[in-house]
Amino acid sequence: MALPVLRLLPVYDAGRRSHTTCKYKCGEQCFRPEDNTSDNEYFGDIVASISRRTALRGAGVAVLGIGAASALAACDSGAGTDGSVGASSTGASGAPGTGNVPNAPGLVFDAVAPNTKDAVTIPDGYEQAVVIRWGDPVEPGAPKFNAHNQTPEAQAKQFGFNNDFAGLIPVDGRPGSYLLVCNQEYTTGTQMFYGYREGAPTENQVRVEMAAHGLTVVELKGETGSGRLTPVIGDTNRRVTASTPFELRGPAAGTVFTRTKADPAGNRVLGTIANCSGGITPWGTMLSGEENYTNYFSGAQNPPVEGLKEGWKRYGVGKDEDYHKWGLFEDRFDLAKEPNEVNRFGYIVELNPHDPHSIPVKHSALGRLKHEGSNIYVTPAGDVVAYTGDDSKFEYIYKFVSSRRIQRGPGAAAMTSNMRILDEGTLYVAKLSGAAPNEGEVPTGGYRGKGRWIPLLTVREDGSAQSHVDGMPAENVAVFTRVAADKAGATKMDRPEDIEPNPKTGKVYCALTNNSDRGADGKAGIDAANPRTKNKSGQIIEITDDHTGTEFSWDLLLVCGDPAAADTYYGGFDKSRVSRISCPDNVAFDSHGNLWISTDGTADVFDTNDGLFGVVLDGAERGLTKQFLTVPFGAETCGPIVTDERIMVCVQHPGETDDATAEKPASHWPDGGDSLPRPAVVAVWRTDGRIGT
Ligand code: FEO
Ligand code: CA
Ligand code: CA
């Protein structure tokens, strides 16, 4: 009998965040040294070595609507901001961290109070239901979920584990019908399987986990008079797993870094993993970011390919303990046997959810990072800009400006053309400037500054690529984009998570979730946009971008955390009248132009559950922050969708505490009784049947 694996655990210092989540989700990034050890502060010296052949092109100001988000909670949008206090059964009034939160257009509900319940808590006057949960049937022939008899074949047809991003696409010509697109970020064997042995999973368990990763497309049917959505086993339903073929496109394809024994051409990759956030494109596809993929690979040794060593180091390959152990049963996840497989993950992936037979794409022209996700802005002229963040401590913000324009209108020809938009254009990284504040003192007029986009890589119409970074060939920039961005002197940020343009204003919002190492010994100190040492609560940056150009200005909308603390900032709004928010992760917008933020990590800071918040962006109430819901104990909130009819969130890793197992779950949400906790998508709607204005 194999002996249990013994190892010294690192000192756990991440607040109350579950160590289990850190192990399986992000490779213990809270504990190990950062991947970014670059000294790229001397922008002025480096900029001279970067060629600047990418022309500044015309700037657009208006916005092409994306998904036409609108606000369920705006039903009483004419209501005054009278300072009325929510008095719901959720205990809004005067509860710690809730404040005396007034109404505002789009935010007319009673603020939900922080709590530690094993439930989704919503304001009075709203109803909720699970839309779909881990194990629910998706593809035709899928069996019902059976926690005691999981098989890879069943899981490959069922909803996957730990959904993060969610998008809702109305089906043309069929009112009340939608395609829900989700990704499944990671698996946690201890939560999924009875009898799971950490470090020594069975092959069946590993193959179930591989099938529980990836993407899901499922048709949903609405019902008149409510926001309830019910899955339909439709023709377009699809599961994409860790084994589904993808086309790798762009400068990384076919290179010495991406060819493998199974794929000597280096352009056909099996699967997508660690998919975090994402976006719906204006042409109706889904984008998703491959984030913490390195901790799925074992066997890191001296890399056999010239140039790989620096790249592996910069991405943390080999630093992470491989808790998933897929390499035990599939050689490509063992770096000693297939060193290049890890270089085939870390891209923005695109899926056409309308065609269940389409081959999804990995877009290397957008660089290889630990991508959180990507969202698109389209100028009035049709130029397309994709924003993306690299979610690790001290990593960077990027954008890709396509050289192709969007082809408007329906039809296969438009889709085919538009799915080539992300193949050609220029990838940039952000360099921010501004005077560093005195820590804890909000600068007069708020936190603000300027910035430049530094070009890294251009892909031309004929597919040839040009590096803008001295000493790095184009394929190296595409595969080891972090190294290129270091050389460009990019600004080290506090973990850039979701980044998305507001369809109403075109301003771009990025959640900087936290960075407990900011200002630590030997690490980058505070700067204008990252103004706190040991930043546990994060901030939201608002970028006013010359979208196709290279200049921008920025403000900090929120410096999150305890409103009573001197080092927090709520857009200049009265901090005694806001809901407390920490660790912003995903962002979305409503029809009023309000920002909605889901959080991941509130328990680290305040010992309460994560949630969803609405924030006013413009006018006298700018910075008014109001909590709409909380998710169950141990979960994070993600994937928010805010429309007139309903608000939806993904509930990821409910009950994932350190000592929880399938035999001893810390949550029984959503099924109750003695059930396993099951990650799920939830819809919330008004009980009075009214919809938005
Ligand atoms: Fe998967 Fe950046 O959170
Ligand atoms: Ca995230
Ligand atoms: Ca988003």
Side-chain angles (χ1 to χ4, degrees):
M1 190 176 89
L3 293 170
V5 176
L6 293 177
R7 58 179 163 265
L8 292 172
L9 291 175
V11 176
Y12 183 54
D13 182 24
R16 217 195 68 183
R17 178 165 194 144
S18 156
H19 187 203
T20 300
T21 303
C22 292
K23 288 193 293 188
Y24 289 96
K25 177 170 176 146
C26 57
E28 300 183 312
Q29 290 196 48
C30 293
F31 314 118
R32 64 166 175 74
E34 286 78 43
D35 300 331
N36 191 352
T37 56
S38 67
D39 178 7
N40 58 2
E41 299 300 310
Y42 301 104
F43 173 65
D45 294 338
I46 289 169
V47 73
S49 70
I50 300 170
S51 61
R52 298 192 173 282
R53 282 160 287 209
T54 306
L56 190 153
R57 301 187 300 165
V61 287
V63 179
L64 178 77
I66 302 168
S70 50
L72 165 71
C75 302
D76 295 322
S77 59
T81 55
D82 59 3
S84 60
V85 178
S88 75
S89 59
T90 53
S93 179
T98 301
N100 179 17
V101 190
N103 289 330
L107 302 179
V108 183
F109 54 84
D110 297 337
V112 165
N115 62 73
T116 55
K117 296 176 184 174
D118 188 26
V120 173
T121 306
I122 59 176
D124 282 351
Y126 289 80
E127 189 173 350
Q128 62 171 299
V130 167
V131 176
I132 192 166
R133 77 205 82 191
W134 168 48
D136 282 349
V138 171
E139 292 191 354
K144 276 184 64 176
F145 178 66
N146 181 348
H148 295 274
N149 183 30
Q150 299 179 61
T151 67
E153 295 76 21
Q155 179 63 81
K157 293 175 180 286
Q158 296 167 331
F159 196 63
F161 202 72
N162 272 343
N163 40 288
D164 195 294
F165 172 74
L168 197 63
I169 304 172
V171 177
D172 279 347
R174 289 163 59 188
S177 288
Y178 305 89
L179 294 184
L180 174 70
V181 291
C182 284
N183 53 29
Q184 264 81 40
E185 184 174 0
Y186 74 104
T187 51
T188 309
T190 52
Q191 304 285 304
M192 297 172 68
F193 303 109
Y194 295 101
Y196 185 83
R197 295 178 62 224
E198 251 193 315
T202 66
E203 180 166 5
N204 185 70
Q205 289 165 342
V206 163
R207 299 216 176 270
V208 168
E209 290 193 38
M210 291 177 69
H213 278 68
L215 316 173
T216 297
V217 181
V218 60
E219 186 177 335
L220 302 177
K221 184 74 182 163
E223 64 180 31
T224 306
S226 96
R228 189 183 304 276
L229 292 169
T230 306
V232 176
I233 306 298
D235 294 341
T236 47
N237 287 14
R238 183 179 189 184
R239 282 299 326 287
V240 170
T241 72
S243 305
T244 304
F246 278 67
E247 179 188 359
L248 176 60
R249 282 193 198 156
T255 68
V256 68
F257 303 122
T258 53
R259 294 181 209 130
T260 63
K261 295 184 195 77
D263 176 30
N267 59 11
R268 185 178 179 275
V269 182
L270 294 184
T272 188
I273 56 174
N275 299 82
C276 200
S277 192
I280 302 299
T281 66
W283 49 95
T285 61
M286 172 206 203
L287 300 179
S288 176
E290 295 180 322
E291 190 190 20
N292 293 307
Y293 48 91
T294 54
N295 56 311
Y296 287 76
F297 291 84
S298 59
Q301 298 177 346
N302 284 330
V305 179
E306 186 70 26
L308 212 53
K309 192 167 188 175
E310 181 189 21
W312 274 14
K313 183 165 179 282
R314 189 61 182 81
Y315 285 74
V317 175
K319 273 193 207 167
D320 305 325
E321 176 82 31
D322 163 32
Y323 288 100
H324 296 277
K325 301 296 177 192
W326 291 5
L328 291 174
F329 304 105
E330 193 147 321
D331 285 354
R332 66 190 175 112
F333 292 103
D334 183 342
L335 290 160
K337 295 173 180 166
E338 189 48 88
N340 273 351
E341 188 71 5
V342 71
N343 304 328
R344 292 145 61 90
F345 293 84
Y347 299 100
I348 292 294
V349 303
E350 183 173 15
L351 174 73
N352 176 4
H354 309 279
D355 177 1
H357 305 294
S358 61
I359 297 173
V361 176
K362 298 195 179 201
H363 285 293
S364 70
L366 275 66
R368 175 170 169 269
L369 313 169
K370 294 189 177 178
H371 282 283
E372 172 72 11
S374 184
N375 284 281
I376 301 286
Y377 176 87
V378 181
T379 71
D383 291 310
V384 175
V385 184
Y387 293 89
T388 186
D390 186 346
D391 178 16
S392 295
K393 295 174 188 173
F394 302 111
E395 294 299 341
Y396 310 131
I397 293 173
Y398 298 78
K399 76 171 179 181
F400 175 82
V401 181
S402 177
S403 54
R404 293 173 67 106
R405 285 185 169 163
I406 190 170
Q407 185 169 331
R408 302 180 196 274
M415 178 63 82
T416 301
S417 171
N418 291 333
M419 279 200 71
R420 289 282 173 187
I421 284 175
L422 301 181
D423 290 353
E424 300 168 26
T426 296
L427 178 68
Y428 300 84
V429 70
K431 169 78 179 178
L432 284 70
S433 58
N438 295 321
E439 191 168 4
E441 288 179 23
V442 178
T444 305
Y447 301 85
R448 57 188 50 177
K450 303 280 189 191
R452 292 180 59 86
W453 295 103
I454 312 300
L456 301 176
L457 176 69
T458 293
V459 185
R460 305 183 189 94
E461 187 175 353
D462 64 1
S464 64
Q466 172 191 3
S467 168
H468 299 287
V469 181
D470 279 357
M472 287 190 77
E475 61 264 35
N476 295 50
V477 177
V479 178
F480 301 113
T481 311
R482 284 180 166 184
V483 178
D486 294 343
K487 293 177 186 292
T491 298
K492 297 175 177 176
M493 307 299 289
D494 287 343
R495 290 188 55 196
E497 296 247 29
D498 203 4
I499 180 167
E500 189 163 339
N502 183 344
K504 267 203 171 303
T505 64
K507 291 184 179 179
V508 179
Y509 294 80
C510 183
L512 300 161
T513 196
N514 55 45
N515 183 351
S516 55
D517 285 344
R518 174 71 63 182
D521 283 351
K523 310 285 171 59
I526 65 167
D527 60 30
N530 302 279
R532 290 185 295 188
T533 56
K534 297 182 179 172
N535 176 13
K536 292 189 78 172
S537 289
Q539 63 265 23
I540 297 281
I541 189 168
E542 176 186 69
I543 297 171
T544 304
D545 193 22
D546 179 10
H547 296 281
T548 55
T550 56
E551 307 288 333
F552 63 90
S553 59
W554 60 264
D555 292 78
L556 293 188
L557 170 71
L558 299 178
V559 179
C560 303
D562 183 354
D567 69 353
T568 59
Y569 176 71
Y570 282 68
F573 194 73
D574 178 355
K575 293 198 293 177
S576 70
R577 303 172 75 208
V578 299
S579 296
R580 183 183 72 198
I581 183 172
S582 272
C583 306
D585 188 343
N586 303 133
V587 298
F589 301 92
D590 66 30
S591 61
H592 294 263
N594 294 320
L595 175 69
W596 289 74
I597 304 169
S598 60
T599 66
D600 172 19
T602 306
D604 302 356
V605 186
F606 294 118
D607 273 350
T608 54
N609 294 351
D610 279 311
L612 179 70
F613 301 76
V615 185
V616 178
L617 296 179
D618 293 311
E621 284 80 31
R622 176 177 162 88
L624 188 165
T625 300
K626 195 168 191 179
Q627 181 149 21
F628 181 75
L629 62 71
T630 54
V631 293
F633 176 73
E636 73 173 83
T637 319
C638 33
I641 302 170
V642 184
T643 71
D644 273 350
E645 292 80 14
R646 61 187 69 78
I647 289 173
M648 298 170 70
V649 291
C650 287
V651 176
Q652 195 188 80
H653 58 77
E656 193 167 272
T657 60
D658 285 349
D659 54 356
T661 62
E663 288 79 8
K664 198 176 66 170
S667 165
H668 299 291
W669 186 89
D671 295 339
D674 62 355
S675 64
L676 295 184
R678 293 168 72 181
V681 182
V682 173
V684 183
W685 64 93
R686 288 175 64 113
T687 53
D688 62 10
R690 295 172 63 186
I691 60 171
T693 54

